[in-house]
Amino acid sequence: MSGTAGTALVTGASSGIGAATARRLATRGYNLILIARREERLRALAGELSAEHDVTGVAVPLDLERTDELSDALTDVLATASRPLTAAVLAAGHGLGHGPVREADAEPWESQLRLNLLAPMLLVHRLLPELDATGGDLVVIGSLFGTRPQPGYAAYAATKHGLTGFVRSLAEEERPSGGCRITLISPGATNTEFSSVLAGAENPCVHDVSDWPYHPLLAEDVAASVEWVMSRPAHARVTELTVDPIDARY
């Protein structure tokens, strides 16, 4: 029966990896709590998935940078869920303020720190009790920039290095407890609206990559990795997974 997989919470769900993940989880029967800032898109996706897959899709317009409100907002949302929380996929993030450090616009750096690092840390802190209780899955979308130096994206790399360290440490803390399964997925270049914003597009879009020197990942590729991780047998956990274009040039 649909919905028997429990409830999955997905951040960054209005587009890109978050939206693609929500679609895959809906096909597996998860009820969905979809979180993002763009309310119209979010509600459209929740309605689409509810109708097509006979699951409950709840749209929660929420600015994750308002970190002082996250815990109370999540408590309110979880109280209305019809099924226990069995999965959370944290996919929200941005990389504005890129460029060589000497030349970069530093104003968005605090925003990056809040959205890319502090918000997922606080979300994890709030969601762990529910996920531990169900033996659920916590999947955090990091980046290859979280393990390597990346000139021109120093601030973004800093947030992703921090996120990598946080998730790795958390996984070691949780391993003896046998609670939820924790996975860090680190994609390489992915063709989403995120990358078009980094490139300076006035209107977020998915690039035409026909003239690129390599073919980037698609949001669906990363979402398929999330689905695979979550479909492993209960006794198996994938702690880290790297997904990179086979012909990457960067």
Side-chain angles (χ1 to χ4, degrees):
M1 295 178 61
S2 63
T4 56
T7 298
L9 180 148
V10 182
T11 69
S14 61
S15 66
I17 294 169
T21 298
R23 287 192 166 92
R24 282 190 170 261
L25 296 185
T27 66
R28 286 187 166 268
Y30 282 91
N31 288 340
L32 296 164
I33 297 172
L34 306 178
I35 296 177
R37 283 183 287 194
R38 291 181 286 188
E39 182 172 357
E40 185 175 345
R41 280 194 179 193
L42 205 60
R43 294 197 184 282
L45 180 60
E48 170 198 328
L49 298 181
S50 297
E52 290 185 2
H53 302 286
D54 192 26
V55 298
T56 301
V58 177
V60 183
L62 185 63
D63 184 351
L64 295 181
E65 289 185 42
R66 299 172 69 168
T67 52
D68 57 329
E69 301 176 7
L70 291 187
S71 183
D72 288 345
L74 288 177
T75 296
D76 292 343
V77 170
L78 293 173
T80 66
S82 59
R83 295 184 181 274
L85 186 73
T86 53
V89 182
L90 308 185
H94 79 69
L96 298 178
H98 62 287
V101 171
R102 290 178 181 274
E103 304 167 13
D105 178 6
E107 187 174 344
W109 288 358
E110 183 176 350
S111 171
Q112 277 201 57
L113 284 167
R114 286 184 176 276
L115 183 59
N116 297 356
L117 182 56
L118 182 57
M121 291 171 67
L122 293 173
L123 288 168
V124 167
H125 184 264
R126 174 61 187 84
L127 296 175
L128 272 180
E130 278 78 8
L131 293 172
D132 280 342
T134 59
D137 287 285
L138 170 64
V139 181
V140 180
I141 305 300
S143 169
L144 286 183
F145 288 9
T147 56
R148 63 175 66 165
Q150 193 60 39
Y153 295 89
Y156 180 73
T159 64
K160 292 300 184 178
H161 272 72
L163 189 61
T164 297
F166 176 76
V167 178
R168 285 176 172 174
S169 299
L170 172 66
E172 288 303 305
E173 289 179 5
E174 290 291 299
R175 188 186 302 275
S177 71
C180 70
R181 303 190 298 184
I182 299 166
T183 303
L184 174 69
I185 297 182
S186 299
T190 307
N191 189 12
T192 64
E193 293 180 10
F194 176 99
S195 58
S196 75
V197 172
L198 285 184
E202 292 185 9
N203 298 307
C205 61
V206 176
H207 285 297
D208 175 4
V209 298
S210 58
D211 60 348
W212 283 23
Y214 65 94
H215 197 292
L217 301 172
L218 302 176
E220 290 75 14
D221 299 326
V222 184
S225 300
V226 174
E227 182 183 23
W228 179 81
V229 163
M230 291 173 55
S231 66
R232 296 308 86 203
H235 65 272
R237 66 177 67 211
V238 182
T239 306
E240 293 192 37
L241 184 65
T242 297
V243 189
D244 204 17
I246 196 168
D247 57 349
R249 300 287 185 273
Y250 48 79

